[in-house]
Structures are given as structure tokens and as C-alpha cells.
């Protein structure tokens, strides 16, 4: 218990050290002329961005050499053919990478094509890059973490399944911690919202999305700089899967409710004026539901990171015995709340997905209704 309590202060302290190291390096690289608020804002934006290498931290030697601690990741581009190379060619965005006579440069966590080894990114009046951009299939930091969590979940629940099989349905080891969560998702989320008749075919996805979002959110609270669910592309992908499962498994009663919401309550002639409004609203609802899923997860996680980093940044603005400890205390409190938010967002995403599946899987026994009449 004491180890779990102590973990969060250590994490926050490491995050503080990382922030301090960045501020110190910025001064040593000639950024001291910048306003401190601008430096903090740039660091927060940098922290929230995805990257083509997995950098844990960085520091500057006495001779002025800037050293990054981490490892490169594979860059995979399609530009008149497949181009595969290591992200180390970019030297953390400081140089142009040459591959098969083509030159590429990083700009705002994206890769653009430039004219030569000294080529520059050309921007329009809105500060948008106008250079050609190849199709990017690179293994970025976020993609790497997604693969890592996927492998972790595979071995974790493979071990849980084996412990069930070898111990007459009784979990052992770490499975004892996850078993109540699995049972809760089944008994309090899947069955009440989907029904005992059809819940089993949705359980693999519900369990996967719950633990995936939870584990990813928890990793985002570590000093690793992993911010997967604050990327809109990731939340769009998760919501899209829920959208596809909902509509491809929808029964005829589900689709009838969308295109004939009033049913047989009145003749068609009387329903036509109402359906001019009702049917577009029902069709729009098909897309609003997954949209609310992706925005809720994306906005809550991103806002949490921004607030936490901003509070830490206030320590560098106050520079006083009163303001800095106060900022650290607020950051510590927010970090504890973020632990709850990480779990809560996984629960909400799973609960709403199960609710949408329940709407899609619902069936009415028309034969029994006819006999009742």
C-alpha cells in the first residue's frame, strides 16, 4: 500500500525534473531572450505532440553537446515507392534526412519533402507548410506504445485464461486483481445494457477497449511523455470501431426504429409530415453517438495534461517560497484526480459502447405482441 502511495510523488518529481531540465537546456541554447510564458507554452505543446523517436529526457554536456536519452523508431513513407529508414537520420528534427536521393524534414511532428540537404519548409500566410507530404505509415511513439500495450494485454489475459483452465475456474497471481474487473464489466455493464441473450458476442470488444484505454491513460501519467488518447486520430479509431460494430450488428428492429420511429401507431399519411423532421434526426444520431465518444475521451485526457503541465510551469514563473510550493501542491492534487479520470474515461467509453450495442441488438417479439392483441 505504501509503495502505491509513494509512486505518484516520485512520478510527479520526475516530471518536475524533466520540465526543469528542458528549461535549463532552453537557456543554454540561446532561448533566454524568449518570454518565460512562451517557453512554457512551447514545452507543453512539445509534450503533447507525437514524435518519430522515443525520447525519455535530454541534457546538455559542459562542452555544449545536447544528448538525448532514448531510442529511434522506424520511419515508413510512401513517396514514389516505399521508403524505410531510422528516425535517427533526422537527429531529433535538427537535420534533413536523405533517402534514395529524396530529402525529408520534420515540421510540427510531420514529415515533408524538401529540395535538398539544405532545403527549408515553405509556409503560406496562415503558417501552413506548402511542401509535398508523402504518405506516412511510420511507427511513431504513440504507435509503439499501442503495440506495447497490445502485447502486454495479450500475455496478461492469456495468463489469466490459463490460470482459469489449470485451477478449475479460479484465477491465480495477478489474475486475482483483474478477475473482479472482468466480472464487473460482464455483470454490471454488458448484461444490463445488452441482455443475457446477446452480450457474449460483444464481451471481447468491451473488455479490450476498457483495459486498452485504462492502461494507455495510466501510461500517460508517467514521465515517459506518452499521450496516446490525447491524439484525436486514436480516439477517432476507437469510436469508429464502436460505430461499425453497432451498425453492422443492428437488427431489423434497430433500423426500423431509425427509419420508422413511430411504428404502427398511426397511418403513413399522418406520419409523413413528422418524418420530414424525425428521420433526419434519427440518422444524425447514428453519427453523433460515436462523435461524442471520441470528443469526450480526447478532450478530457488532453485537458488534464495541459492543466497539470501548466501548474508545474507556474513554479518557474513564481520563483518564490510561497507560489512554487502552492503550484506543486495543486499539481499533485490534479495528478491524483487524473488517476481517477484515467479509469473513469475507460469506464464511460465501455459503458456507452455497451449501451449503443444494446440499442442495436434489441429485438421485439412481434409474434407474442400479435397474440396479446
Amino acid at each position: 500500500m505504501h509503495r502505491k502511495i509513494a509512486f505518484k510523488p516520485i512520478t510527479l518529481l520526475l516530471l518536475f525534473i524533466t520540465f526543469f531540465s528542458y528549461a535549463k537546456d532552453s537557456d543554454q541554447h540561446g532561448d533566454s531572450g524568449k518570454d518565460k510564458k512562451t517557453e512554457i507554452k512551447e514545452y507543453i505543446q512539445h509534450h503533447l505532440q507525437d514524435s518519430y523517436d522515443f525520447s525519455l529526457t535530454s541534457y546538455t554536456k559542459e562542452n555544449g553537446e545536447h544528448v538525448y536519452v532514448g531510442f529511434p523508431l522506424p520511419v515508413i513513407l510512401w513517396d514514389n515507392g516505399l521508403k524505410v529508414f531510422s528516425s535517427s537520420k533526422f537527429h531529433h528534427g535538427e537535420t534533413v534526412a536523405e533517402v534514395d536521393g529524396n530529402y525529408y524534414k520534420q515540421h510540427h511532428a510531420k514529415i515533408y519533402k524538401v529540395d535538398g540537404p539544405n532545403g527549408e519548409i515553405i509556409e503560406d500566410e496562415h503558417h501552413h507548410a506548402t511542401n509535398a507530404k508523402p504518405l506516412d505509415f511510420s511507427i511513431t511513439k504513440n504507435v509503439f506504445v499501442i503495440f506495447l500495450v497490445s502485447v502486454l494485454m495479450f500475455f496478461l489475459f492469456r495468463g489469466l485464461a490459463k490460470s482459469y483452465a489449470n485451477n478449475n475456474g479460479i484465477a491465480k497471481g495477478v489474475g486475482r486483481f483483474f478477475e473482479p474487473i472482468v466480472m464487473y464489466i460482464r455483470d454490471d455493464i454488458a448484461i444490463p445494457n445488452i441482455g443475457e441473450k446477446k452480450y457474449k458476442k460483444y464481451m471481447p470488444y468491451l473488455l479490450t477497449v476498457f483495459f486498452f484505454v485504462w492502461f494507455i491513460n495510466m501510461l500517460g501519467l508517467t514521465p515517459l511523455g506518452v499521450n496516446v488518447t490525447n491524439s484525436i486520430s486514436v480516439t477517432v479509431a476507437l469510436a469508429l470501431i464502436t460505430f461499425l460494430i453497432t451498425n453492422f450488428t443492428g437488427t431489423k428492429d434497430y433500423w426500423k426504429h431509425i427509419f420508422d420511429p413511430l411504428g404502427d401507431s398511426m397511418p403513413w399519411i399522418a406520419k409523413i409530415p413528422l418524418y420530414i423532421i424525425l428521420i433526419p434526426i434519427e440518422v444524425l444520431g447514428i453519427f453523433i453517438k460515436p462523435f461524442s465518444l471520441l470528443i469526450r475521451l480526447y478532450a478530457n485526457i488532453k485537458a488534464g495534461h495541459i492543466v497539470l503541465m501548466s501548474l508545474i510551469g507556474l513554479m518557474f514563473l513564481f520563483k518564490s517560497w510561497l507560489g512554487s510550493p502552492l503550484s506543486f501542491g495543486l499539481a499533485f492534487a490534479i495528478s491524483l484526480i487524473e488517476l481517477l479520470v484515467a479509469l473513469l474515461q475507460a469506464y464511460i467509453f465501455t459503458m456507452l459502447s455497451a449501451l449503443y450495442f444494446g440499442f442495436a441488438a434489441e429485438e421485439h417479439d412481434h409474434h407474442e405482441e400479435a397474440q396479446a392483441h
Side-chain angles (χ1 to χ4, degrees):
M1 183 67 181
H2 293 291
R3 291 181 180 177
K4 292 181 179 179
I5 294 174
F7 174 76
K8 199 59 195 177
I10 292 172
T11 298
L12 194 61
L13 180 61
L14 290 173
L15 191 60
F16 168 77
I17 293 172
T18 303
F19 204 124
F20 178 77
S21 299
Y22 176 84
K24 184 178 179 181
D25 289 340
S26 296
D27 290 341
Q28 293 179 350
H29 277 77
D31 290 337
S32 56
K34 288 186 178 180
D35 181 73
K36 184 62 69 175
K37 292 182 181 179
T38 303
E39 291 183 17
I40 293 173
K41 182 179 178 181
E42 289 179 354
Y43 175 77
I44 294 174
Q45 291 175 345
H46 173 76
H47 175 77
L48 295 174
Q49 285 181 344
D50 197 4
S51 64
Y52 289 93
D53 52 69
F54 205 111
S55 296
L56 300 175
T57 186
S58 63
Y59 61 93
T60 303
K61 294 182 178 179
E62 293 181 357
N63 60 3
E65 181 185 358
H66 199 57
V67 179
Y68 292 90
V69 179
F71 52 89
L73 295 170
V75 177
I76 306 171
L77 304 176
W78 182 267
D79 182 27
N80 296 323
L82 189 64
K83 314 292 183 185
V84 181
F85 57 97
S86 172
S87 63
S88 60
K89 284 195 172 187
F90 289 118
H91 295 283
H92 304 277
E94 297 173 358
T95 61
V96 174
E98 188 273 329
V99 182
D100 298 334
N102 297 297
Y103 299 90
Y104 305 98
K105 188 173 184 179
Q106 287 190 47
H107 181 68
H108 295 313
K110 294 181 181 179
I111 296 177
Y112 295 90
K113 197 170 182 179
V114 294
D115 296 332
N118 297 317
E120 296 293 335
I121 300 295
I122 302 173
E123 297 182 341
D124 57 19
E125 62 275 10
H126 301 292
H127 302 288
H128 296 152
T130 59
N131 299 60
K133 187 169 68 171
L135 291 176
D136 194 349
F137 303 98
S138 303
I139 307 299
T140 62
K141 181 193 289 188
N142 285 351
V143 176
F144 177 80
V145 172
I146 289 173
F147 287 158
L148 183 65
V149 171
S150 300
V151 172
L152 173 65
M153 290 175 58
F154 173 78
F155 286 106
L156 181 66
F157 291 103
R158 183 169 175 265
L160 179 59
K162 280 188 174 182
S163 68
Y164 272 123
N166 298 332
N167 298 284
N168 299 319
I170 300 175
K172 291 186 66 178
V174 71
R176 293 183 178 179
F177 172 77
F178 291 104
E179 182 186 26
I181 302 176
V182 173
M183 301 297 288
Y184 178 83
I185 294 173
R186 186 194 69 180
D187 298 337
D188 292 272
I189 295 180
I191 293 178
N193 290 292
I194 303 173
E196 293 190 15
K197 185 178 179 181
K198 294 187 175 182
Y199 82 92
K200 289 184 179 180
K201 69 178 181 179
Y202 296 102
M203 276 297 292
Y205 174 71
L206 294 177
L207 289 172
T208 301
V209 76
F210 175 84
F211 285 103
F212 176 79
V213 173
W214 185 27
F215 290 171
I216 287 289
N217 288 347
M218 293 296 290
L219 279 176
L221 297 176
T222 65
L224 297 176
V226 177
N227 305 291
V228 176
T229 44
N230 77 1
S231 172
I232 192 70
S233 58
V234 174
T235 58
V236 166
L238 292 174
L240 182 61
I241 296 173
T242 296
F243 170 79
L244 294 176
I245 294 176
T246 300
N247 292 284
F248 277 105
T249 61
T251 63
K252 63 179 182 181
D253 289 312
Y254 168 73
W255 290 107
K256 182 179 179 181
H257 175 76
I258 293 174
F259 293 102
D260 187 15
L262 297 178
D264 300 325
S265 59
M266 60 177 66
W268 269 101
I269 298 298
K271 291 190 290 186
I272 290 176
L274 297 175
Y275 279 5
I276 295 175
I277 300 175
L278 286 180
I279 292 180
I281 291 175
E282 292 289 342
V283 172
L284 189 61
I286 297 176
F287 302 96
I288 291 176
K289 290 173 182 176
F291 181 77
S292 67
L293 279 179
L294 72 93
I295 287 297
R296 180 182 291 105
L297 179 59
Y298 165 75
N300 279 279
I301 299 302
K302 186 160 190 172
H305 282 282
I306 293 174
V307 170
L308 183 58
M309 298 298 295
S310 299
L311 288 173
I312 296 174
L314 288 177
M315 288 185 281
F316 299 92
L317 295 177
F318 288 137
K319 293 183 179 180
S320 66
W321 65 270
L322 179 61
S324 295
L326 180 61
S327 298
F328 183 84
L330 289 173
F332 179 74
I334 292 296
S335 65
L336 293 178
I337 295 174
E338 284 297 298
L339 285 174
L340 176 62
V341 171
L343 178 60
L344 185 61
Q345 288 304 314
Y347 167 78
I348 291 174
F349 197 100
T350 308
M351 171 64 79
L352 291 178
S353 295
L355 189 63
Y356 301 156
F357 296 158
F359 291 151
E362 186 178 7
E363 288 184 349
H364 300 288
D365 196 334
H366 301 287
H367 178 69
E368 291 183 1
E369 289 180 0
Q371 285 185 338
H373 286 297

